[in-house]
Amino acid sequence: MHRFHRVLRGLVGLLAITASHAAIAQDSGTLHKADAERVHGSEPVYSPYANRNFPTRPFFGDTHMHTSFSMDAGAFGARLTPRNAYQFARGEQVMASSGQPVKLSRPLDFLVVADHSDNMGFFPDLFAGSPNLLADPTGKKWYDMIQSGKGADAAIEIIVAFSHGTFPKDLMYFPGTPGYKGAWKKTIDAAEEFNDPGRFTAFIGYEWTSNTDGNNLHRNVIFRDNGDMAIRVEPYTVYPPYGSDNPVDLWKWMAAYEDKIGGDVLAIPHNGNLSNGLMFPLVEAFQQELDEGYVQARAKWEPLYEVAQTKGDGEAHPSLSPNDEFANFETWDKGNLDGSVAKTPEMLPHEYARSALKLGLKLEDELGTNPYKFGLIGSSDAHTGLAALAEDNFFGKTTPQEPSPERMTATFVDNQSTGVKIMDWEVSAAGYAAVWATENTRESIFDAMERKETYATTGTRLIVRFFGGWDFTSEDALTRAPAVIGYSKGVPMGGDLRSAPDGKSPSFLVMALRDPIGANLDRIQIVKGWMDANGELQEKIYDVVWGDAETRTPGRDGKLPPVGSTVDVENAIWTNTIGDPELIGVWTDPDFDPNQRAFYYTRVLEIPTPRWTAYDAAFYDIEPLPGTVMTLQERAYTSPIWYTP
């Protein structure tokens, strides 16, 4: 009876509590009615990271890697294959073609093996003694030369024949031949083997290498697709009758692939600085006047431009931007690709990205489409299979330029007929493509490239955010999550701003965070280009936010003093005792005219650090040649944000 009464009293008490909506004590504490209503209601989301659908990190990679499958790379001694290139990029240690072990400080997130389409796969087959090559007398002669220790002489003969159009047709790996088909299949198989969605992306691609008269009009073609689609075509080549040196014909090949196969491809030009004025035409291209068809096709198929790589920086030129104290960076301006024609001043406006972005505004005004509305990336163009682009781990552009005491004094181009000479020390340790994608997959990274949410680096892995809009305020720079504000109030790098609201000027939120194992930051700049009321093209550079701001202020001329340098060149070391590890700020255009087309992009500069030449000089204990550059300021360039009235 006592137990029954205790249970009854408990039930009565519970009913009384429930009826009065009083608190109920449980293992999780006391539940009050107000708490229950709040947790079961629709309160605002507390976590700033929940329900995000925008990119939260940049992925770093290289869209321009050559292996032994490339004709010139093989001739110069490269022995690494596409498989080796992917192994290295994802963080594995490999043996370089020069016999040295090499490894990255950190794995890359993605890689495109982009071997030259013409004669793809010839050299590996020659070294292997492929029967189809040995059956030809010239092929047998070259093979015997290699076997007898005269590989260098054979390589020179092969390169000369290939460059001058005297290469035996029976030895040429044209599309449709077994050797060519085999090389393309091996390229695809390697990408399929190493593609690991979510961890590492191995893109399928190739380089189309238009080089008529030594003028560089090269493009890297990248597939969004998997191997089952890419294998249904063969790369487009330059040599007739299977190809053409005209980019318009490449775009037609790309259109045919998408129409017939249902795939998705894009092309990335590079090294306009070696095109001798042909990369960014304003009036005509290939003896044909620019028309609506040309500008529309180029805008569609070439959303990006490779602005930083081993053969010189392509952002700006000091003679085109005399007021830009940082324009003379890793500049190659002596001639075209082979040095057969020396550079002249009138060529320069059609060779550099900043100038091209301005020319695009003029063409848009005239033809209705901006063909140079491209985003920016960096990549290597290394012909070693090694995306080793850090200054202290630079394995050169070609195998002879892999680390050795000789590369500091050797020549890269020496055309005695024109006097054009480029030294090996002038080759740059650059660059990387940074892509703001939602995940590390072919589809996500490719889509980010198409929408131009990308930036270029010269080999560093610093993080850069850049947003433009009409309502950013200085308080927005106080956030620790700038992307939340950036995407909600504006557009990211690669985006567009349309007609300005009455009385408003565009404002920009910029942020940079140093490479975790790299150098502090000097400054963030915004580069503006526009077409004025008279149709003239203009540019101006604004320092937005900078390091050591407590002690470093602009002078009366508006110029920001140099950040200084901590580099000990002799020992190839520096300290992060100057500059800042991160910078963030909001800038509003003080010179805005709502009736004028314009673009804006961000340039981020690190503090000075040792160049690869300083590391070589210290490691090998050698004296550099007079004039050798020993320090540099690594940098990043974002894709622009365009304003169109």
Side-chain angles (χ1 to χ4, degrees):
M1 289 294 294
H2 293 295
R3 181 171 179 272
F4 173 77
H5 286 298
R6 286 198 303 271
V7 172
L8 182 60
R9 285 196 301 270
L11 289 172
V12 171
L14 179 59
L15 290 171
I17 291 173
T18 303
S20 64
H21 303 289
I24 302 174
Q26 296 292 322
D27 187 52
S28 298
T30 300
L31 180 64
H32 298 276
K33 181 176 185 294
D35 294 333
E37 289 177 344
R38 179 168 56 84
V39 299
H40 292 287
S42 56
E43 290 289 313
V45 177
Y46 176 83
S47 173
Y49 314 112
N51 301 325
R52 293 186 304 192
N53 60 359
F54 57 78
T56 59
R57 56 158 289 191
F59 295 99
F60 291 95
D62 185 353
T63 65
H64 193 175
M65 176 54 58
H66 293 273
T67 74
S68 60
F69 281 34
S70 285
M71 183 71 178
D72 53 352
F76 274 73
R79 300 295 174 263
L80 299 188
T81 66
R83 292 190 76 261
N84 301 137
Y86 288 122
Q87 286 176 309
F88 179 76
R90 73 175 186 181
E92 296 181 32
Q93 180 170 306
V94 302
M95 192 67 71
S97 298
S98 57
Q100 306 176 67
V102 56
K103 187 177 182 179
L104 289 171
S105 62
R106 295 152 288 176
L108 290 182
D109 298 306
F110 64 92
L111 179 71
V112 183
V113 169
D115 281 312
H116 296 300
S117 59
D118 285 278
N119 233 9
M120 181 187 291
F122 171 83
F123 254 98
D125 282 0
L126 180 64
F127 279 104
S130 178
N132 65 299
L133 297 179
L134 298 185
D136 183 271
T138 305
K140 179 68 163 56
K141 182 188 77 168
W142 287 338
Y143 176 77
D144 289 342
M145 291 173 69
I146 293 169
Q147 295 301 307
S148 64
K150 296 181 180 179
D153 294 334
I156 292 172
E157 273 193 31
I158 293 168
I159 285 295
V160 169
F162 189 70
S163 301
H164 289 84
T166 60
F167 196 89
K169 288 187 177 181
D170 290 342
L171 293 179
M172 195 74 141
Y173 277 29
F174 287 118
T177 62
Y180 196 85
K181 288 182 177 179
W184 181 232
K185 184 178 185 303
K186 290 176 183 176
T187 298
I188 291 173
D189 288 347
E192 294 291 83
E193 176 184 354
F194 288 94
N195 190 53
D196 187 6
R199 295 180 177 85
F200 179 79
T201 294
F203 281 102
I204 299 166
Y206 67 90
E207 180 173 351
W208 175 82
T209 315
S210 175
N211 195 41
T212 303
D213 297 325
N215 299 321
N216 183 102
L217 290 176
H218 302 180
R219 268 83 168 167
N220 293 324
V221 178
I222 301 175
F223 293 75
R224 185 182 189 267
D225 313 307
N226 297 330
D228 59 339
M229 297 182 71
I231 197 65
R232 295 169 64 186
V233 295
E234 290 180 333
Y236 193 62
T237 61
V238 173
Y239 277 79
Y242 304 95
S244 164
D245 63 351
N246 190 335
V248 173
D249 293 325
L250 173 67
W251 304 333
K252 291 177 180 176
W253 179 93
M254 297 169 69
Y257 170 76
E258 292 198 354
D259 291 343
K260 295 177 181 178
I261 308 301
D264 200 350
V265 287
L266 60 80
I268 306 175
H270 59 271
N271 281 118
N273 60 325
L274 301 175
S275 72
N276 272 13
L278 299 182
M279 181 60 78
F280 302 113
L282 186 59
V283 177
E284 66 174 26
F286 284 81
Q287 292 77 53
Q288 291 187 346
E289 185 176 352
L290 265 61
D291 57 16
E292 292 182 4
Y294 178 93
V295 297
Q296 290 172 4
R298 184 155 185 170
K300 173 179 175 60
W301 298 114
E302 300 185 358
L304 300 176
Y305 180 67
E306 183 183 295
V307 75
Q309 65 128 258
T310 53
K311 298 198 300 293
D313 192 78
E315 184 232 357
H317 189 277
S319 70
L320 300 176
S321 304
N323 296 322
D324 181 359
E325 60 191 303
F326 298 104
N328 190 17
F329 177 73
E330 300 288 314
T331 303
W332 283 33
D333 59 359
K334 299 176 183 180
N336 56 359
L337 185 63
D338 60 4
S340 59
V341 179
K343 193 75 66 187
T344 60
E346 60 269 17
M347 298 174 180
L348 297 175
H350 308 283
E351 298 192 340
Y352 287 85
R354 188 187 301 172
S355 178
L357 290 167
K358 292 191 293 183
L359 294 177
L361 300 178
K362 180 179 285 290
L363 286 171
E364 183 178 20
D365 185 61
E366 297 172 356
L367 298 173
T369 301
N370 183 347
Y372 309 138
K373 194 174 181 180
F374 49 70
L376 301 179
I377 61 163
S379 281
S380 71
D381 194 19
H383 282 53
T384 59
L386 304 169
L389 306 172
E391 302 292 332
D392 64 350
N393 192 36
F394 181 45
F395 266 66
K397 175 179 170 57
T398 66
T399 295
Q401 295 166 320
E402 291 180 3
S404 73
E406 291 75 32
R407 72 172 175 174
M408 284 279 284
T409 57
T411 57
F412 181 76
V413 172
D414 187 6
N415 194 311
Q416 297 182 6
S417 64
T418 61
V420 173
K421 190 173 185 178
I422 301 173
M423 303 302 295
D424 271 2
W425 69 258
E426 296 179 85
V427 173
S428 300
Y432 284 134
V435 179
W436 285 101
T438 53
E439 58 184 358
N440 191 353
T441 63
R442 285 174 175 164
E443 297 79 11
S444 183
I445 294 175
F446 187 97
D447 292 348
M449 289 180 179
E450 283 200 322
R451 68 175 182 266
K452 307 165 193 173
E453 198 168 352
T454 63
Y455 61 96
T457 87
T458 57
T460 177
R461 302 197 200 182
L462 57 92
I463 296 175
V464 185
R465 285 283 200 188
F466 181 45
F467 297 95
W470 304 106
D471 299 307
F472 290 113
T473 65
S474 57
E475 288 75 19
D476 293 332
L478 303 178
T479 178
R480 297 306 302 165
V484 175
I485 293 175
Y487 284 106
S488 63
K489 295 176 69 172
V491 298
M493 59 184 78
D496 290 277
L497 297 175
R498 297 301 178 183
S499 297
D502 289 342
K504 287 195 173 185
S505 297
S507 54
F508 299 88
L509 174 62
V510 293
M511 183 276 287
L513 184 65
R514 83 173 202 200
D515 184 327
I517 62 172
N520 274 349
L521 306 178
D522 169 6
R523 68 187 77 188
I524 298 178
Q525 300 177 310
I526 287 182
V527 179
K528 177 186 177 183
W530 73 98
M531 189 169 71
D532 66 22
N534 298 318
E536 299 296 321
L537 299 174
Q538 309 289 348
E539 69 174 60
K540 191 171 182 179
I541 300 168
Y542 302 85
D543 291 313
V544 175
V545 59
W546 51 88
D548 303 328
E550 300 83 1
T551 59
R552 190 172 165 228
T553 57
R556 292 182 178 178
D557 60 356
K559 291 286 187 181
L560 186 66
V563 71
S565 178
T566 66
V567 178
D568 176 350
V569 174
E570 184 177 357
N571 294 299
I573 56 175
W574 89 99
T575 62
N576 271 329
T577 52
I578 58 174
D580 282 12
E582 68 175 63
L583 296 171
I584 187 170
V586 170
W587 175 82
T588 301
D589 183 359
D591 307 307
F592 180 65
D593 185 329
N595 299 311
Q596 296 174 355
R597 287 184 173 87
F599 63 82
Y600 305 81
Y601 69 88
T602 293
R603 181 170 64 184
V604 183
L605 300 170
E606 294 183 354
I607 66 172
T609 49
R611 194 172 180 269
W612 70 264
T613 45
Y615 288 105
D616 269 30
F619 184 83
Y620 293 112
D621 191 22
I622 55 178
E623 187 71 23
L625 294 172
T628 301
V629 177
M630 304 296 280
T631 66
L632 83 169
Q633 284 189 259
E634 299 262 35
R635 55 197 64 193
Y637 313 112
T638 71
S639 294
I641 293 172
W642 287 266
Y643 169 72
T644 305

